Amino acid sequence: MPLVDMSFELLKSYKGRNPRPDDFDAYWEAALTEMKAVEANVERKPSAFMTTFAECCDLYFTGVRGARIHVKHIRPKNLGNDKGPAVLFFHGYSGRAHDWTEYLQYAAAGASVFAMDARGQGGASEDVGGVKGNTLRGHIIRGLDSEDPQDLLFRHIFLDTAQLADIAMSMPEVDAEQVYATGWSQGGALTLACASLEPRINKLAPVYPFLCDYKRVWEMDLAKGAYEELRQYFRAFDPQHERENEIFTKLGYIDLQFLANRIKGEVLMGVGLMDTVCPPSTQFAAYNKIASEKRLEIYPDFGHEGLPRLHEKIYQFLLG
């Protein structure tokens, strides 16, 4: 078959190219300690959109560094005094939570829904800022010029996903042992982040996840589109690549391949082998480090696009 990356046989054993910071584990333990000390101050406001079988609310909570995070929350009405599953949804890069109607099939099946707006992107969540460097666009590189790698913006967004999972698990109608996560592209990345930082996530379905193996993206000359800010950063701030290893090592703090070994839940991951936005090898760098039960849905002729019947397979995997 045609290739845009390695052969499938090589992909199955690929371990990644980006350097891993020496203090990676300590970095994330400190981050989780910071997150757990935050008073979430959860607030729910009824939405104007309603159905006969579910209650729709705008949920807000306070994340690390004081940002208020917005979540679309759908609570099924048919549970009675029982507890049911919950599904966390994460959206693509620069986007926002989808329309309410996109999630109703899950609520109709008795699952609570939590669809988070990533801070500073297209939804209603806050980005409180406060770092040096490029802030016009480019969340991957946001905070890269700070002296403290704890200022990386995706560090905060990853923590938001874990904090949301904890909030969902504390809801009286949610069975904490049946909390699941899913998303495509950046949503796939945040699904991995959520299940890595909150290992009680029982099942997860990431699709062609973003934010993995940055150096491999660069070496493939695919720092375009979603990864274009990597090229912009080097052109503006390190045009001769004198700090290349330092920069990629710092990006390693928010490289999901290094968090993936924390995942405990069962994984179904979708990959298009013709993907030139999030190259397959970068996705396999993370997938190959997952030690829990896992399986792949492979689409040999598809790229970063809709994958036929995969939404149905994910629904059955999570709620079947």
Side-chain angles (χ1 to χ4, degrees):
M1 68 182 183
L3 296 174
V4 298
D5 202 333
M6 303 173 183
S7 70
F8 185 58
E9 287 305 309
L10 289 176
L11 289 172
K12 289 190 291 184
S13 60
Y14 177 66
K15 298 300 184 183
R17 290 280 295 119
N18 204 85
R20 183 182 190 272
D22 291 338
D23 63 342
F24 181 86
D25 291 328
Y27 174 92
W28 279 106
E29 289 308 315
L32 287 167
T33 298
E34 179 183 339
M35 180 198 78
K36 291 172 183 176
V38 172
E39 178 56 55
N41 292 317
V42 176
E43 179 184 13
R44 295 175 72 252
K45 297 180 179 180
S47 167
F49 182 87
M50 287 292 170
T51 75
T52 58
F53 60 86
E55 172 189 321
C56 299
C57 290
D58 292 294
L59 183 150
Y60 297 86
F61 69 91
T62 300
V64 295
R65 309 296 169 96
R68 289 294 281 175
I69 306 303
H70 171 252
V71 179
K72 284 185 170 179
H73 179 206
I74 305 176
R75 176 181 285 170
K77 295 179 180 179
N78 60 355
L79 292 177
N81 295 322
D82 296 330
K83 292 178 179 286
V87 184
L88 314 184
F89 288 88
F90 302 107
H91 62 75
Y93 198 25
S94 80
R96 63 186 301 163
H98 297 160
D99 291 347
W100 296 103
T101 52
E102 295 285 319
Y103 308 115
L104 291 182
Q105 71 269 33
Y106 285 87
S112 296
V113 170
F114 300 82
M116 188 187 87
D117 287 339
R119 59 172 77 193
Q121 296 187 16
S125 294
E126 290 182 337
D127 175 6
V128 295
V131 299
K132 298 178 181 177
N134 184 320
T135 58
L136 176 63
R137 56 187 295 188
H139 283 190
I140 298 172
I141 62 172
R142 185 78 64 84
L144 195 56
D145 284 334
S146 173
E147 293 180 3
D148 187 351
Q150 297 275 354
D151 290 334
L152 288 163
L153 180 60
F154 263 115
R155 178 250 197 199
H156 309 334
I157 296 173
F158 289 0
L159 290 173
D160 292 339
T161 69
Q163 191 174 4
L164 173 60
D166 184 67
I167 290 168
M169 290 171 181
S170 71
M171 293 285 182
E173 71 277 11
V174 172
D175 180 349
E177 295 183 358
Q178 296 185 73
V179 177
Y180 315 132
T182 188
W184 296 48
S185 194
Q186 178 188 254
L190 297 185
T191 296
L192 292 176
C194 182
S196 298
L197 298 173
E198 179 42 91
R200 291 179 295 168
I201 294 292
N202 186 262
K203 293 181 184 179
L204 55 150
V207 181
Y208 41 61
F210 185 41
L211 306 176
C212 304
D213 206 7
Y214 302 104
K215 191 166 187 177
R216 173 67 176 166
V217 174
W218 179 263
E219 290 174 343
M220 292 182 70
D221 192 28
L222 290 176
K224 304 166 185 176
Y227 283 108
E228 183 180 0
E229 59 210 68
L230 298 178
R231 183 186 305 277
Q232 292 175 338
Y233 184 88
F234 277 113
R235 287 174 62 88
F237 301 110
D238 187 23
Q240 294 186 289
H241 281 238
E242 295 169 335
R243 297 167 46 228
E244 180 177 311
N245 189 65
E246 171 197 336
I247 289 166
F248 281 119
T249 299
K250 197 167 186 179
L251 289 171
Y253 288 114
I254 53 168
D255 188 335
L256 285 163
Q257 65 172 309
F258 302 132
L259 279 171
N261 63 352
R262 297 176 174 229
I263 292 171
K264 303 297 183 185
E266 184 181 355
V267 181
L268 181 151
M269 185 163 128
V271 181
L273 295 184
M274 299 300 288
D275 195 336
T276 57
V277 177
C278 297
S281 56
T282 67
Q283 301 174 50
F284 274 84
Y287 182 81
N288 291 337
K289 293 180 176 69
I290 296 172
S292 61
E293 184 177 350
K294 61 185 178 180
R295 77 173 195 262
L296 289 165
E297 293 289 341
I298 296 293
Y299 289 76
D301 301 312
F302 287 77
H304 211 75
E305 57 186 310
L307 302 178
R309 294 182 295 281
L310 187 54
H311 282 293
E312 295 175 2
K313 291 180 178 182
I314 289 170
Y315 180 89
Q316 291 179 322
F317 168 69
L318 296 180
L319 297 185

